[in-house]
Amino acid sequence: MKLIRDIKNAGVFHKAAKSMQAGDYSAVLDRLEGFHAQPYFLAKSKLFRAMARHRQNRFADAGQHYDKFLTSHLADMPQKDRVYMEEYAEFFRSRSQAKIDPSPQFYSSLEELRKLAYSEPFLTRAKYYF
């Protein structure tokens, strides 16, 4: 039963990832509404929700999801991806917050994010692009 549920959840997440790549951010949010899965997929779904809201110019919502990912879900990412995922979330969180209040400085730089991306596996880079 657990295996079937895990396969189903992986399929839901994969469809959300395809919607993200297609730029259909509403579909990403719809697919991930009420999403329950293993902690790893929950972490990835929280970051996808933040990304979708960010790209819909819903910056306050995006910031809340970036914060939730960083405080509650980052530890559920594989160790090999954790540094990049934290940098990615912090980078885009600062950009979404700057749309609300431009006074704080940006977190890191796009160049630093690119450097970290080169050390990541292809699948991670493909899902979390900039």
Side-chain angles (χ1 to χ4, degrees), residues 66-85:
Y66 286 125
D67 287 343
K68 183 77 170 176
F69 170 77
L70 289 164
T71 60
S72 302
H73 297 285
L74 181 62
D76 296 326
M77 297 301 292
Q79 186 65 38
K80 65 181 175 51
D81 293 337
R82 208 170 290 161
V83 172
Y84 175 69
M85 300 310 299

Side-chain angles (χ1 to χ4, degrees), residues 20-39:
M20 180 68 79
Q21 289 175 337
D24 188 354
Y25 308 122
S26 294
V28 172
L29 297 171
D30 289 345
R31 290 184 195 286
L32 296 177
E33 184 68 34
F35 183 69
H36 298 289
Q38 299 172 13

Side-chain angles (χ1 to χ4, degrees), residues 8-62:
K8 180 183 173 195
N9 288 334
V12 169
F13 185 80
H14 178 70
K15 287 178 183 177
K18 290 188 77 65
S19 295
M20 180 68 79
Q21 289 175 337
D24 188 354
Y25 308 122
S26 294
V28 172
L29 297 171
D30 289 345
R31 290 184 195 286
L32 296 177
E33 184 68 34
F35 183 69
H36 298 289
Q38 299 172 13
Y40 170 68
F41 280 113
L42 283 176
K44 291 173 72 169
S45 73
K46 183 57 71 174
L47 190 52
F48 264 33
R49 288 179 200 148
M51 294 163 55
R53 284 179 169 89
H54 191 146
R55 292 176 182 155
Q56 288 179 322
N57 297 327
R58 295 169 55 189
F59 302 114
D61 289 342

Side-chain angles (χ1 to χ4, degrees), residues 105-124:
Q105 286 190 320
F106 283 142
Y107 176 87
S108 192
S109 68
L110 184 57
E111 188 59 36
E112 183 64 28
L113 189 60
R114 283 189 177 128
K115 285 179 193 175
L116 285 172
Y118 290 123
S119 65
E120 287 300 307
F122 173 77
L123 289 175
T124 301

